[in-house]
Amino acid sequence: MKSVMSGAKNDDEFSPSAPSFYDVLSDRGVRWIAFGAGGIVVFLGLYIIFEIASAASPAIKEYGLRFFVDTRWDVSRQEFGILAEIWGTLYSSLLALLIGGSFGVGIALFLSQGYLPNRLSQIFRLVVEMLAAIPSVVYGLWGIYVVIPALRPVAAWLHEYFGFIPLFSTSLSGPGLAPAVIVLSIMILPTVAAISQDAFAQVPQKVKEAAYGMGATRKQAILKVILPTASSGVMGAIVLGFGRALGETMALAMLIGNVNQVSLSLFAPAKTLASLLASNFPEAGQVELAALMYAALALLFITVVVNAIGAYIMSLSKKQEAI
Amino acid sequence: MNMNASVARLNDSVGDETQRNEAEVAIDAKINSIYYGKFRAVRDSHVPIRKGEITGFIGPSGCGKSTVLRSLNRMNDLIPIFKMDGDVHFMGQDIYAPSIDPVLVRRHIGMVFQQPNPFAMSIYDNVAFGLRINRFKGDMDERVEGALRQAALWDEVKDKLKQSGLALSGGQQQRLCIARAVAPGPTVLLMDEPCSALDPIATRKIENLMHDLKEHYTVAIVTHNMQQAQRVADTTAFFSVDISDGQRCGHLVEMGRTNELFENPREELTRKYIRGEFS
Ligand SMILES: Nc1ncnc2c1ncn2[C@@H]1O[C@H](COP(=O)(O)OP(=O)(O)OP(=O)(O)O)[C@@H](O)[C@H]1O
Ligand SMILES: [Mg+2]
C-alpha cells in the first residue's frame, strides 16, 4: 500500500497509513465490551423477570386474576389480594404527581425563562438537584418527625369543618396518605424539574424570538408558545416522575401507615405495593412469599409500562425537534 | 384595533405627534453607541426610516445591520449584555424612554427573521397569534385570510389551515411568518435577511410581496444581496465596519435614494463595496 502511494511523492513526506493491527484489535475490543455490557443488562432484566415470575407461579395458579380485586392480605387464612395496595400505589403517586409535577414544571420554567439572574438560577438549580441526592430513609425520618406533627392540626381542622368531603372524611392519627404524598412530591420534584428544564432549553431561540417579536409578554410567550413547543418533553418528565413515585419504597413504608384499605380520605392510612413488599418479606412463609412475588410482578409491570410510555413520549419530542 | 390602556396611551401620543409635524419619518434612530458587554458593535449612526417606503440596509458581514435593525423595536432587550446609547423615535416618541413597555413597541413594529420560525401550531393559529395576544374582538377568520392574502400564501394554504405551520416548505413558512407579522396591523415591519434561506423563485415572490406591503406599512429590510436592495428599496443605508484600532466597530457610511447611492455614491467606501472590491 505505502509503496504504491509514495511512488508519486517525496519519500520523507507524511502520508496516511492503514490502521495498525493494534488499532483494529482495540477497535474490535471496545465494540465487544460495549456489546457485552449492553447484553448483560438486557439479560439481567429478563432474568429478574423470569425469576420473579417463576417464584410467583404457585400464587398465580392459586389466585389468578382474583388477586387484583381482593383487598385481603390474610396470612392465617392464606387469602391474598392486592387491590388495596394497587389503589394506594396509584392514589399516592397520582397525588404526588399533581403536587410535585406542577411544582417541578413551575420551577423549571422559573429557572429557565430568565426570571432570575444567571448566577442565582444556577444556585437554585443545584439546590433542586440536591433534593435527589437525599436518601429515601432520611426523607422518611423527616416525614415522621416534621411533616406528620405539622400536618396534624391542619388535618384535624379540615376534618372537623369539611369532614363531609370524602377527602377529609377521617382524621390523621399518625402516619397516613397525606404525609406520604407530601414527602413523595418533594422526592419526585427534582426528576420532573430537571427533565422539563431540558425540554424548555431545547425550545429553539428563534421560536422564542418569534414570540417576543410579535409583542408577546413573557407570560404569553411562555404559556402560548414555549410550553406547547416543549409539551412532549414536559409530558415525558411527568411520566418519568410518576414512574419514580410508583417505585418509591422506604419513605412510603415509613409514612403511609400500612393499612389495607381503599379509602379516598387523605388522612387515612394506606398501603402501597412497594411498602407491602418491604414490610412483609422478612417474615413471610412459603405461600405468602409466592403471593409477594406475584405482587412484585404487578408492580414491575406497572412501572415498566409507565416508564416505557415516558420514554416513548420523550422520543416523540426529539423527533419533533429534528424538523 | 382593540388594545389595552397602555397601548391606547402610546397610540394617542403617536397620533398627537403625527398631527404636529406630519412626519415623513416613521422611525428616527440616532445611535451613538451600541454595546454588547464591553464590545462596541455600532457607533455614530443616524438612520431615519421614511414612512411608507422600503429602506434597505446593506454592508459587509458583522457591520451591525442586524444589531441596528433589532434596536428599532427593542428586540435586543432580550440580550442581557446589550446596551444602547442614543435614542430611537417612533413617530415622535422615544421608544427607549423608561415609561415605554418594549412589548408595546414590538406590537407596533413587527419583525420577520432570517430563518423562518413559525410556531408549532396550525397555520391559522400562527396567523391569529398576534391578534389573540392583542385581544382582537372582530372577525378573526377574515383577518387571517386577509393577512395570508397579503403574504401571497392564501391560495396555497386555504384548504389546509388546520395543518401545522411546520409542515410547509421553507418559502411558504417565511410567507407564513410575514402573514403572522402583518396580521395584527403593525405600523412598521422589520425584516432581517428574509430571503436568505430561500430559493430564487420564493425570493422573487417575497420581493413582489414587499412592493404590495409598502402600501400599508413602512418596511426596513436587511439584505446581503445588492440586486435585491436595488429591486426593492427606495432608500438604502450602507453600513461598514472599521477594523483600524483593533476593534470591529460598525457604523453608517451613507444613506440615500437607492438609485443615487448605487449610481453615484458620495463615499469611497460605498463605491468600493458596491463594485465588489471590498467585502
Ligand atoms: N448577541 C450578541 N452578543 C455579542 N455580540 C454580538 C451579538 N450579536 C451581534 N454581536 C456582534 O455585533 C457585531 C455586529 O453584528 P450583527 O449581527 O449586527 O452584524 P450584521 O451586519 O447583521 O452581520 P451579518 O451580515 O453577518 O448578519 C458583530 O461583531 C457581532 O459579533
Ligand atoms: Mg445580520
Side-chain angles (χ1 to χ4, degrees):
Chain A
M1 189 71 163
K2 192 165 165 61
S3 59
V4 181
M5 297 285 286
S6 58
K9 288 183 187 164
N10 215 334
D11 250 3
D12 47 54
E13 208 171 277
F14 172 80
S15 71
S17 62
S20 70
F21 178 69
Y22 172 75
D23 287 338
V24 173
L25 203 69
S26 63
D27 184 45
R28 282 203 192 144
V30 168
R31 194 154 12 134
W32 278 110
I33 290 171
F35 190 74
I40 288 173
V41 170
V42 172
F43 172 77
L44 264 181
L46 291 176
Y47 175 71
I48 289 172
I49 293 175
F50 171 77
E51 275 293 306
I52 295 177
S54 59
S57 68
I60 298 175
K61 278 191 202 108
E62 173 71 28
Y63 306 108
L65 291 176
R66 178 161 50 99
F67 193 62
F68 299 101
V69 292
D70 195 338
T71 58
R72 286 171 303 174
W73 191 274
D74 192 330
V75 182
S76 52
R77 296 222 185 94
Q78 303 221 327
E79 283 297 342
F80 299 109
I82 54 168
L83 181 63
E85 285 81 3
I86 291 179
W87 166 259
T89 304
L90 292 179
Y91 194 36
S92 63
S93 299
L94 279 172
L95 285 174
L97 194 64
L98 204 69
I99 303 170
S102 39
F103 270 94
V105 175
I107 287 173
L109 272 176
F110 183 65
L111 292 183
S112 66
Q113 298 308 312
Y115 283 101
L116 288 180
N118 243 339
R119 182 70 61 77
L120 208 59
S121 86
Q122 260 160 13
I123 293 172
F124 260 91
R125 194 163 305 175
L126 205 68
V127 170
V128 172
E129 273 161 20
M130 287 218 312
L131 289 179
I134 298 175
S136 191
V137 64
V138 176
Y139 274 113
L141 289 173
W142 179 69
I144 289 173
Y145 290 109
V146 180
V147 178
I148 292 179
L151 216 53
R152 221 183 250 142
V154 183
W157 186 83
L158 281 171
H159 175 56
E160 188 173 339
Y161 293 100
F162 297 97
F164 57 91
I165 301 173
L167 289 179
F168 309 130
S169 58
T170 62
S171 68
L172 184 71
S173 58
L177 193 65
V181 163
I182 288 175
V183 170
L184 197 54
S185 307
I186 298 172
M187 294 178 78
I188 66 169
L189 192 140
T191 309
V192 177
I195 299 175
S196 37
Q197 242 178 66
D198 288 346
F200 293 131
Q202 278 167 4
V203 173
Q205 183 63 25
K206 64 174 189 174
V207 171
K208 288 185 211 164
E209 283 198 330
Y212 289 112
M214 289 299 298
T217 61
R218 178 142 62 187
K219 191 186 112 211
Q220 287 169 331
I222 288 174
L223 290 183
K224 298 192 178 199
V225 177
I226 294 168
L227 208 51
T229 308
S231 62
S232 46
V234 172
M235 272 303 290
I238 287 175
V239 178
L240 291 183
F242 189 52
R244 171 134 169 62
L246 289 172
E248 173 50 39
T249 311
M250 197 59 210
L252 280 188
M254 293 165 78
L255 291 170
I256 204 162
N258 295 315
V259 174
N260 263 24
Q261 59 179 18
V262 177
S263 162
L264 272 176
S265 172
L266 294 178
F267 307 131
K271 197 164 190 173
T272 68
L273 284 166
S275 68
L276 166 79
L277 294 174
S279 50
N280 287 33
F281 242 115
E283 282 140 37
Q286 236 183 1
V287 183
E288 190 184 5
L289 204 62
L292 284 172
M293 284 298 187
Y294 197 3
L297 206 59
L299 177 60
L300 188 67
F301 178 75
I302 295 174
T303 49
V304 166
V305 168
V306 167
N307 279 296
I309 292 173
Y312 175 69
I313 294 174
M314 301 266 286
S315 76
L316 284 188
S317 80
K318 295 252 159 57
K319 255 182 244 155
Q320 206 180 40
E321 277 138 27
I323 293 172
Chain B
M1 205 164 58
N2 232 327
M3 287 198 191
N4 54 35
S6 54
V7 182
R9 224 180 304 127
L10 181 67
N11 284 338
D12 284 350
S13 57
V14 168
D16 289 350
E17 197 61 36
T18 7
Q19 275 171 1
R20 237 184 292 136
N21 58 7
E22 202 57 50
E24 282 287 286
V25 173
I27 301 181
D28 196 16
K30 294 197 183 85
I31 295 163
N32 300 327
S33 299
I34 293 177
Y35 291 94
Y36 288 114
K38 290 209 158 49
F39 170 61
R40 192 185 190 196
V42 178
R43 66 170 173 87
D44 313 311
S45 303
H46 176 197
V47 189
I49 310 288
R50 289 160 70 98
K51 203 193 268 177
E53 281 194 355
I54 299 180
T55 303
F57 289 13
I58 61 169
S61 186
C63 66
K65 304 180 294 293
S66 302
T67 300
V68 170
L69 191 79
R70 291 161 59 93
S71 66
L72 302 184
N73 73 341
R74 299 195 59 174
M75 273 310 282
N76 278 331
D77 287 29
L78 300 181
I79 300 167
I81 55 172
F82 165 84
K83 261 201 326 276
M84 191 178 92
D85 168 25
D87 51 57
V88 176
H89 283 261
F90 170 54
M91 291 180 161
Q93 178 86 28
D94 182 7
I95 61 168
Y96 281 87
S99 61
I100 298 286
D101 183 353
V103 166
L104 181 51
V105 172
R106 296 180 203 130
R107 289 181 184 184
H108 281 276
I109 307 177
M111 186 139 199
V112 176
F113 297 83
Q114 181 166 2
Q115 297 286 330
N117 53 3
F119 299 131
M121 48 177 91
S122 74
I123 293 170
Y124 185 98
D125 289 341
N126 263 285
V127 182
F129 183 85
L131 295 164
R132 290 194 177 127
I133 64 173
N134 280 300
R135 300 205 185 75
F136 175 72
K137 293 280 184 341
D139 186 344
M140 189 74 85
D141 292 356
E142 186 190 309
R143 280 295 278 259
V144 168
E145 177 177 343
L148 283 167
R149 280 190 191 284
Q150 274 193 338
L153 188 61
W154 174 251
D155 291 328
E156 287 157 73
V157 301
K158 63 181 176 218
D159 300 321
K160 48 179 184 181
L161 293 173
K162 290 273 167 299
Q163 263 183 32
S164 168
L166 294 172
L168 297 172
S169 77
Q172 290 172 327
Q173 285 189 13
Q174 193 62 305
R175 277 177 286 149
L176 177 61
C177 292
I178 293 173
R180 181 178 66 188
V182 300
T187 315
V188 181
L189 207 54
L190 307 177
M191 303 175 125
D192 192 350
E193 300 185 44
C195 304
S196 66
L198 307 182
D199 70 68
I201 295 170
T203 300
R204 264 303 153 90
K205 272 196 179 143
I206 290 185
E207 285 179 8
N208 293 338
L209 176 63
M210 282 196 285
H211 281 291
D212 304 336
L213 290 180
K214 204 162 75 167
E215 311 210 331
H216 307 277
Y217 309 99
T218 301
V219 180
I221 175 175
V222 172
T223 174
H224 259 134
N225 178 331
M226 280 186 277
Q227 282 78 41
Q228 183 173 63
Q230 282 171 284
R231 282 193 297 262
V232 301
D234 302 295
T235 301
T236 298
F238 171 63
F239 290 81
S240 185
V241 54
D242 37 41
I243 323 174
S244 50
D245 49 350
Q247 287 260 336
R248 302 176 53 87
C249 188
H251 58 97
L252 180 72
V253 175
E254 71 172 287
M255 187 166 179
R257 309 304 297 171
T258 299
N259 48 6
E260 272 171 41
L261 185 124
F262 276 93
E263 276 156 27
N264 194 13
R266 273 170 282 149
E267 300 286 334
E268 187 57 26
L269 269 175
T270 319
R271 190 187 309 278
K272 278 189 175 164
Y273 183 74
I274 60 187
R275 286 206 193 130
E277 289 169 16
F278 167 92
S279 64

